[in-house]
């Protein structure tokens, strides 16, 4: 089968929607760091809808870790397809908004030169939680992080996102240019403020004048939402059958998509509101709602679902005990912590339960379980803190945390190893090796991870005792039985 390229595009199956502009006339106004599946199914689609009217806002995407996206898409002229799937069927669309891809591991200088060009006015980010090289409990830059140590020693050949951002800003400063706007699209609390703190601290470590310039940078917060599981070979085959062309790396997603953007772009922005994004004064209530409701539920389902033997989210939410747990977690424990006048939170919850149940998306619990140390604070622990402060119960949220601890021990309920992916996995191994299968020392060991739990939660005796009880039950009775008991 021929490969998807600008030349073969005309032969794609006529039912396929495709970009509606002259790609020869588009120019990059956005540089995006972290061009993974999520970005390609989310921001790049919104931009694809804009380019016919606003050709100056195309995207050049960069990968900071691996060359694989560039290797897959460059032979396709950076065209790729987005396959939307749910119970009502599937639809394929070809996206043209990626004007170029840079492999930052070998082309760092090309990336920095581009970021320093006046025509680039936005640098956006989906580098995942760990890409911020920060301490998740406090939100401050981790100055001992190996990539940060490297980037401060060799600032003109950076590896990390903060390193690239600050070096590019330094070049703009020296050239007498205005800064670009930095738009975080990661699932972090107040992601704009978090990015600002980290980039500001990195700049301060480089020098005073640079730090002063970085203070003039705008960091709008955003809330992003679209479920995008990792692409599989079966997805590639499905796309090829629909297109009549081979696409080396399509992305598969749901119909739902949401993007809420804080309106703070002094260097200019595309009219995102004309293509379905919500441009608002204050994003934080939306972010908190999404992180606590969607992602908090997702992580809880991922750990407990994995332990109970569910490979996919749709199977986990199809398990009535887990569904009851997630329904109760959102209704009883999360919704009361959210202050969202005018938002139908029960409707939002019900829509989430439907989205999780989408049988056409094969979203692995193992995928969501990744990087728990970076995710737990904003997904579960912040809510627990609010519940403790209000003197209210949080058993279901605590079960999510205990599920994470059980998962992080690295052995499943059959005694088989779990492939735990997390920047702190070596510390999990040491904790599990020392504590064995005894809940009390395990909880003590995990709560000792201050980067995750801060200093307040480990000192709360009721929180600790609840975790010990739940983890003991997970170890002795297993996830399925324990989930059924927590009300
Ligand atoms: C998921 C998210 O992998 C994960 O941790 O919870 O990627 C989730 O699918 C997105 O935030 C949905 O918008």
């Amino acid at each position: 089968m021929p490969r998807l390229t600008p030349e073969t595009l005309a032969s794609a199956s006529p039912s396929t929607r495709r970009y509606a502009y002259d790609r020869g006339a588009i120019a990059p106004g956005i540089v995006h760091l972290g061009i993974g599946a999520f970005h390609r199914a989310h921001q790049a689609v919104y931009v694809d809808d804009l380019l016919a009217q606003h050709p100056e806002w195309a995207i050049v995407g960069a990968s900071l870790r691996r060359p694989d996206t560039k290797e897959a898409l460059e032979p396709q002229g950076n065209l790729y397809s987005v396959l939307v799937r749910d119970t009502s069927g599937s639809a394929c669309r070809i996206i043209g908004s990626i004007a170029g891809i840079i492999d930052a591991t070998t082309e760092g200088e090309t990336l920095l030169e581009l970021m320093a060009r006046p025509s680039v006015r936005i640098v956006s980010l989906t580098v995942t939680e760990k890409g911020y090289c920060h301490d998740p409990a406090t939100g401050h830059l981790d100055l001992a992080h190996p990539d940060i140590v490297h980037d401060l020693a060799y600032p003109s050949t950076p590896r990390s996102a903060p390193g690239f951002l600050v070096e590019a800003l330094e070049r703009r400063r020296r050239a007498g240019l205005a800064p670009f706007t930095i738009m975080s699209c990661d699932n972090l609390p107040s992601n704009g403020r978090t990015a600002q703190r980290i980039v500001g601290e990195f700049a301060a470590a480089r020098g005073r004048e640079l730090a002063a310039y970085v203070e003039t940078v705008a960091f709008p917060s955003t809330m992003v939402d679209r479920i995008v599981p990792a692409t599989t070979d079966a997805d590639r085959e499905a796309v090829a059958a629909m297109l009549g062309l081979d696409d080396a790396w399509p992305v598969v997603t749901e119909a739902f998509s949401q993007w809420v953007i804080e309106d703070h772009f002094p260097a200019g922005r595309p009219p995102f509101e004309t293509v379905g994004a919500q441009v608002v004064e204050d994003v934080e209530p939306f972010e908190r709602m999404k992180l606590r409701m969607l992602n908090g539920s997702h992580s809880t389902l991922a750990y407990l679902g994995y332990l109970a033997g569910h490979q996919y989210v749709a199977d986990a939410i199809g398990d009535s005990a887990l569904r009851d747990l997630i329904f109760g977690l959102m209704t009883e424990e999360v919704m009361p912590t959210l202050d969202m006048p005018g938002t139908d939170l029960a409707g939002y919850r019900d829509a989430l339960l439907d989205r999780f149940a989408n049988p056409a998306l094969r979203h692995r619990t193992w995928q969501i379980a990744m990087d728990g140390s970076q995710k737990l604070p904003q997904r579960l622990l912040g809510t627990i803190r609010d519940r403790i402060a209000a003197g209210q119960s949080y058993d279901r949220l605590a079960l999510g945390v205990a599920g994470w601890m059980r998962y992080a021990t690295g052995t499943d309920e059959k005694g088989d190893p779990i492939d735990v992916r997390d920047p702190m996995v070596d510390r999990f191994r040491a904790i599990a090796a020392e504590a064995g299968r005894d809940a009390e020392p395990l909880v003590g060991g995990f709560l000792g991870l201050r980067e995750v739990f801060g200093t307040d939660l480990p000192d709360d005796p009721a929180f600790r005792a609840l975790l010990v009880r739940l983890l003991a039950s997970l170890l002795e009775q297993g996830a399925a039985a324990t989930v059924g008991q927590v009300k």
Side-chain angles (χ1 to χ4, degrees):
M1 198 178 284
R3 181 100 174 246
L4 167 65
T5 65
E7 293 73 39
T8 60
L9 181 66
S11 67
S13 137
S15 63
T16 310
R17 178 167 163 204
R18 59 204 79 186
Y19 58 89
Y21 45 86
D22 170 11
R23 278 183 101 224
I26 61 174
I30 300 174
V31 169
H32 184 80
L33 307 185
I35 181 169
F38 177 77
H39 170 77
R40 293 199 284 127
H42 189 267
Q43 184 178 332
V45 175
Y46 289 86
V47 171
D48 196 60
D49 285 334
L50 276 164
L51 287 176
Q53 301 295 323
H54 305 279
E56 72 281 19
W57 286 110
I59 300 169
V60 170
S63 308
L64 301 189
R65 298 269 160 244
R66 284 182 305 270
D68 50 0
T69 306
K70 180 180 172 111
E71 285 167 5
L73 298 191
E74 207 170 56
Q76 303 181 179
N78 301 316
L79 297 181
Y80 65 94
S81 29
V82 174
L83 175 60
V84 171
R85 264 190 180 153
D86 58 28
T87 40
S88 66
S90 45
C92 205
R93 163 169 179 189
I94 296 169
I95 301 296
S97 56
I98 305 294
I101 303 184
I102 297 173
D103 165 22
T105 64
T106 57
E107 304 170 301
E109 188 54 33
T110 310
L111 175 58
L112 288 166
E113 274 170 23
L114 177 64
M115 291 167 80
R117 274 195 219 152
S119 52
V120 169
R121 290 186 280 157
I122 296 175
V123 176
S124 51
L125 304 164
T126 48
V127 292
T128 81
E129 296 85 350
K130 63 176 178 274
Y132 289 76
C133 308
H134 70 314
D135 176 336
T138 63
H140 286 285
L141 181 68
D142 176 6
L143 285 163
H145 190 293
D147 288 348
I148 298 302
V149 172
H150 173 274
D151 290 359
L152 287 171
Y154 307 100
S156 60
T157 53
R159 291 179 182 158
S160 71
F164 273 103
L165 290 166
V166 173
E167 175 62 13
L169 288 166
E170 169 65 355
R171 293 181 185 200
R172 291 179 86 105
R173 183 184 75 86
R174 278 194 257 117
L177 291 174
F180 43 68
T181 296
I182 298 180
M183 175 170 69
S184 167
C185 295
D186 281 294
N187 286 315
L188 292 166
S190 316
N191 55 10
R193 304 294 97 74
T194 301
Q196 181 170 38
R197 191 177 321 107
I198 287 156
V199 170
E201 289 172 358
F202 186 92
R206 282 195 53 181
R208 214 152 30 97
E209 280 174 57
L210 176 54
Y213 179 78
V214 168
E215 274 175 25
T216 69
V217 176
F219 290 82
S221 281
T222 67
M223 181 269 250
V224 294
D225 188 8
R226 195 168 208 190
I227 294 176
V228 189
T231 306
T232 64
D233 286 340
D235 297 331
R236 288 185 178 85
E237 282 163 27
V239 168
M242 287 179 78
L243 279 185
L245 295 170
D246 259 329
D247 180 347
W249 206 341
V251 290
V252 179
T253 187
E254 59 182 341
F256 182 91
S257 182
Q258 190 178 13
W259 196 10
V260 190
I261 305 170
E262 181 186 352
D263 196 4
H264 183 39
F265 292 80
R269 64 166 173 85
F272 290 123
E273 63 277 21
T274 62
V275 289
Q278 294 157 263
V279 178
V280 303
E281 284 296 303
D282 184 10
V283 171
E284 288 186 25
F286 294 94
E287 280 189 283
R288 193 172 310 113
M289 172 181 77
K290 192 254 170 175
L291 285 168
R292 291 183 174 191
M293 295 282 279
L294 188 158
N295 298 107
S297 298
H298 242 182
S299 289
T300 303
L301 271 176
Y303 298 117
L304 297 168
Y306 184 97
L307 293 168
H310 299 303
Q311 203 185 339
Y312 298 107
V313 173
D315 301 333
I317 204 73
D319 171 334
S320 62
L322 271 170
R323 190 181 196 282
D324 289 349
L325 178 85
I326 297 301
F327 183 91
L329 179 140
M330 288 199 269
T331 312
E332 308 288 335
E333 300 185 6
V334 179
M335 280 159 55
T337 70
L338 301 173
D339 182 18
M340 300 277 305
T343 301
D344 172 14
L345 285 175
Y348 183 74
R349 171 203 61 205
D350 294 345
L352 288 179
L353 291 167
D354 284 348
R355 291 171 62 197
F356 295 158
N358 182 347
L361 284 188
R362 313 255 73 194
H363 201 186
R364 291 178 71 187
T365 47
W366 174 82
Q367 187 188 346
I368 300 167
M370 260 187 259
D371 294 342
S373 67
Q374 315 291 304
K375 293 174 175 173
L376 245 46
Q378 57 276 14
R379 296 182 176 206
L380 296 172
L381 303 180
T383 323
I384 290 177
R385 285 194 176 89
D386 284 357
R387 299 288 293 172
I388 292 174
Q392 291 161 335
S393 65
Y394 51 88
D395 294 36
R396 299 174 184 91
L397 294 159
L399 181 56
V401 178
W404 169 73
M405 290 179 174
R406 175 69 190 80
Y407 181 92
T409 64
T411 308
D412 73 12
E413 295 188 357
K414 294 201 209 89
D416 292 330
I418 304 175
D419 179 8
V420 178
R421 303 277 176 96
D422 194 290
M424 293 173 82
V425 68
D426 291 341
R427 291 169 70 190
F428 303 167
R429 286 205 188 102
I431 292 166
E434 199 174 315
R437 283 177 60 87
D438 193 348
E440 186 131 18
L442 276 172
V443 168
F446 283 114
L447 287 182
L449 301 170
R450 300 288 147 127
E451 299 90 331
V452 180
F453 291 97
T455 49
D456 55 340
L457 288 175
D459 285 344
D460 186 309
F463 178 61
R464 184 179 285 258
L466 179 57
L467 285 176
V468 170
R469 182 164 68 71
L470 294 170
L471 183 57
S473 173
L474 288 172
L475 288 162
E476 285 152 27
Q477 304 182 46
T482 306
V483 166
Q485 285 159 20
V486 173
K487 296 269 171 339

